[in-house]
Amino acid sequence: MVARNLKNVDLETLVSLSKRRGFVFQSSEIYGGLSSVWDYGPVGVELKRNVKDLWWKSMVRDRDDVVGIDAAILMHPDVWVASGHVSNFSDPLVECSSCHRRFREDQLESDKCPECGGELGEPRQFNLMFETHIGPVQSAENVIYLRPETAQAMFVNFQNVQTTTRKKLPFGIAQQGKSFRNEITPGNFTFRTREFEQMEMEYFCKPGEDDKWHRYWIDFSMDWYKRYGLRSEKLKLREHSADELPHYSKASADIDFEFPWGWGELETISNRTDFDLKAHMERSGKDLSYFDQESNERFVPFVVEPAMGADRSALAFLADAYDEEGEGKDLRVVLRFHPDIAPFQVAVLPLSRNDKLVPKAREVYDTLRPVFNTQYDDAQGIGRRYRRQDEIGTPLCVTVDFETVDSDDAVTIRNRDTMEQVRVPVSGLVAAVSDQIAAMRTAARE
Ligand code: ATP
């Protein structure tokens, strides 16, 4: 077992590593950047895609009681009236009378401006939904919203999905996609942004079975983070008190992670009762009830919802993976990602850009690529390339040297965590890499 992450990373270090290695760039940087909006680079996109794909696999593909949808971001404006977002989806905003900066009142520690110490005005409710107009006429009748959550598409499609799949309760509908909130005080890198990606699942069940399923999905989610390597001591379950509960919820629990600046929410698992389906039945006039053949009864299902942020989870995996060894010019920064979360699983590195080595290294690369997410790198010296792979958390590096082409047709596999190097024949490389990845998977859970 490898000692992990003795170093608690600060946010500045993570932001600078992210930029240096192509995880995350500031949006529109050449124009001075757009505040609190971020772009994933070539390495970050692989990390986030792994997070999304692993969630989709465990939530949808590995189960026969959950199906997926991919709904449009733009929805009928009545959806947001029925859901309560038009009237309730707001935060208390206060403005400083001296510097005119704006803050969320519920996040302030004193009644003075945190920037200049000035007096703060009276709070007013600020709706977080982004508005736009649909069609060529910009009138009040054409106002629509960028969705602030993905969940509502599952409620309004409940009947479509149920009748086309013939699913019986309990069953869930999952979706991943962009959501938008005009947050008053975004910040902490990709933790709170105005455009972000959610992964949500609505699990429809019989009233009376909702408490059982709420517990089930809390345990499922907690286990999911641990399965992919987040350490238990960095995760905490926090049940909401009655006065914290959103208007639609009977019970909610947050899974919090200890980010570099402190504890923050990764996910909320809520018991949304029959609130949403009933609200849409009333507003649309359509029947969204369910006929249960077993009991011969018709009722409106209850809903339990695990709601997770893809960006926040990717940031948690990044922060938790960060480790340092040595000091000064011997400093080794290494991201100890779980091998399925790591942006790339293997890197193929010819010892140099020699004419003899490169074709062989490309051949080795072509052998590995169909099986693993593999990177080929022949820029700069081998030492620098090892460092680069450590900094993006690649579990294994495969080096092609002169012996490979001159004598043994074998390559060296270097393990990111044990630093062991083993020589294996090219003919057995895929099997050897698979074995090492499997061992790292097991170690990540220990
Ligand atoms: P918070 O209390 O942090 O504002 P929330 O409780 O409003 O979040 P939910 O509505 O429960 O968030 O959304 C589900 C998940 O979506 C959150 O747990 C989080 O991972 C993600 N999420 C919500 N808002 C943002 C945001 N502004 N930026 C990034 N991710 C977000």
Side-chain angles (χ1 to χ4, degrees):
M1 173 68 192
V2 184
R4 286 190 50 207
N5 201 13
L6 303 169
K7 170 109 184 137
N8 271 329
V9 62
D10 58 62
L11 192 58
E12 221 184 316
T13 308
L14 270 192
V15 174
S16 105
L17 171 74
S18 292
K19 172 156 189 206
R20 189 167 74 245
R21 289 295 171 226
F23 280 96
V24 177
F25 308 126
Q26 198 179 16
S27 160
S28 327
E29 195 184 271
I30 61 166
Y31 287 98
L34 183 62
S35 151
S36 300
V37 183
W38 302 94
D39 296 340
Y40 288 83
V43 177
V45 71
E46 298 293 336
L47 167 67
K48 187 169 156 189
R49 189 169 288 258
N50 287 343
V51 170
K52 285 164 46 181
D53 287 352
L54 290 169
W55 184 89
W56 193 259
K57 181 163 165 24
S58 62
M59 196 55 103
V60 181
R61 295 201 169 167
D62 286 352
R63 308 182 60 103
D64 56 13
D65 59 346
V66 179
V67 294
I69 60 166
D70 183 10
I73 288 171
L74 304 178
M75 300 180 78
H76 194 288
D78 279 0
V79 169
W80 308 110
V81 177
S83 68
H85 282 81
V86 169
S87 51
N88 285 325
F89 195 57
S90 52
D91 283 332
L93 178 146
V94 283
E95 187 173 325
C96 172
S97 55
S98 309
C99 70
H100 298 288
R101 286 199 176 85
R102 293 170 168 198
F103 306 95
R104 245 177 86 170
E105 195 208 19
D106 57 338
Q107 289 178 342
L108 293 178
E109 279 162 12
S110 95
D111 55 3
K112 296 277 187 265
C113 172
E115 290 293 329
C116 74
E119 291 299 320
L120 297 171
E122 281 301 303
R124 66 183 173 87
Q125 287 302 317
F126 174 77
N127 195 296
L128 301 184
M129 283 199 293
F130 277 97
E131 277 184 26
T132 186
H133 296 91
I134 194 156
V137 183
Q138 294 211 352
S139 69
E141 293 82 67
N142 295 340
V143 167
I144 55 162
Y145 305 97
L146 302 188
R147 69 179 175 200
E149 62 173 33
T150 59
Q152 295 304 321
M154 276 77 100
F155 300 125
V156 302
N157 277 304
F158 171 68
Q159 282 258 275
N160 281 338
V161 172
Q162 201 270 324
T163 46
T164 51
T165 60
R166 319 297 306 164
K167 287 275 175 215
K168 300 211 170 10
L169 293 188
F171 77 92
I173 310 177
Q175 172 169 223
Q176 300 180 328
K178 291 270 179 156
S179 293
F180 300 82
R181 297 181 188 177
N182 201 0
E183 299 274 2
I184 298 169
T185 43
N188 286 334
F189 198 25
T190 53
F191 178 82
R192 187 179 302 285
T193 51
R194 295 191 168 115
E195 172 180 345
F196 54 97
E197 210 159 346
Q198 289 188 305
M199 310 196 281
E200 298 192 294
M201 195 275 288
E202 309 305 317
Y203 199 72
F204 300 88
C205 62
K206 284 186 188 169
E209 293 186 356
D210 48 313
D211 293 336
K212 177 184 86 183
W213 286 113
H214 191 218
R215 181 43 51 197
Y216 171 90
W217 286 109
I218 290 172
D219 294 343
F220 179 94
S221 289
M222 198 49 126
D223 184 65
W224 190 86
Y225 296 108
K226 291 182 191 166
R227 194 184 321 162
Y228 293 109
L230 289 193
R231 287 165 299 160
S232 309
E233 64 267 30
K234 295 260 175 188
L235 290 165
K236 193 165 69 183
L237 186 71
R238 201 179 63 81
E239 311 266 351
H240 287 206
S241 56
D243 59 345
E244 255 186 293
L245 287 178
H247 63 278
Y248 53 75
S249 172
K250 169 178 152 187
S252 287
D254 286 351
I255 295 180
D256 289 351
F257 173 78
E258 194 177 16
F259 284 97
W261 61 90
W263 291 92
E265 174 188 321
L266 279 182
E267 171 169 2
T268 302
I269 302 105
S270 298
N271 182 342
R272 295 184 76 129
T273 70
D274 54 6
F275 175 88
D276 301 271
L277 286 179
K278 279 194 169 153
H280 288 302
M281 283 171 74
E282 198 174 304
R283 181 106 199 149
S284 68
K286 298 284 179 333
D287 182 17
L288 301 178
S289 64
Y290 171 86
F291 182 71
D292 184 43
Q293 281 166 344
E294 249 172 50
S295 61
N296 220 15
E297 276 175 339
R298 181 167 283 285
F299 55 83
V300 179
F302 266 42
V303 178
V304 172
E305 171 200 77
M308 188 199 276
D311 309 271
R312 280 190 194 178
S313 335
L315 181 60
F317 283 113
L318 181 68
D320 199 38
Y322 188 89
D323 201 2
E324 283 180 3
E325 281 174 5
E327 280 173 43
K329 67 176 181 30
D330 295 326
L331 179 72
R332 174 176 178 239
V333 171
V334 48
L335 298 184
R336 301 198 191 279
F337 287 123
H338 182 289
D340 298 335
I341 295 282
F344 299 96
Q345 295 182 305
V346 197
V348 175
L349 318 172
L351 196 60
S352 68
R353 266 193 189 150
N354 180 283
D355 288 349
K356 249 162 102 180
L357 297 185
V358 167
K360 184 67 190 173
R362 305 282 321 179
E363 190 190 310
V364 170
Y365 176 48
D366 289 341
T367 313
L368 292 170
R369 265 164 106 170
V371 194
F372 310 100
N373 198 7
T374 311
Q375 209 183 44
Y376 178 84
D377 188 4
D378 64 9
Q380 300 181 305
I382 188 78
R384 285 209 181 183
R385 280 181 277 152
Y386 279 142
R387 273 180 189 222
R388 204 149 57 216
Q389 294 302 330
D390 284 341
E391 283 199 340
I392 64 171
T394 308
L396 302 171
C397 289
V398 170
T399 312
V400 174
D401 55 28
F402 288 98
E403 264 178 72
T404 316
V405 278
D406 291 340
S407 57
D408 64 0
D409 201 33
V411 288
T412 304
I413 306 179
R414 169 197 184 258
N415 185 298
R416 177 195 72 193
D417 295 337
T418 62
M419 292 296 273
E420 273 167 18
Q421 305 208 3
V422 287
R423 191 95 186 148
V424 295
V426 172
S427 59
L429 183 59
V430 168
V433 168
S434 294
D435 287 350
Q436 291 215 22
I437 297 269
M440 287 169 107
R441 250 182 222 127
T442 311
R445 257 219 99 123
E446 278 164 2

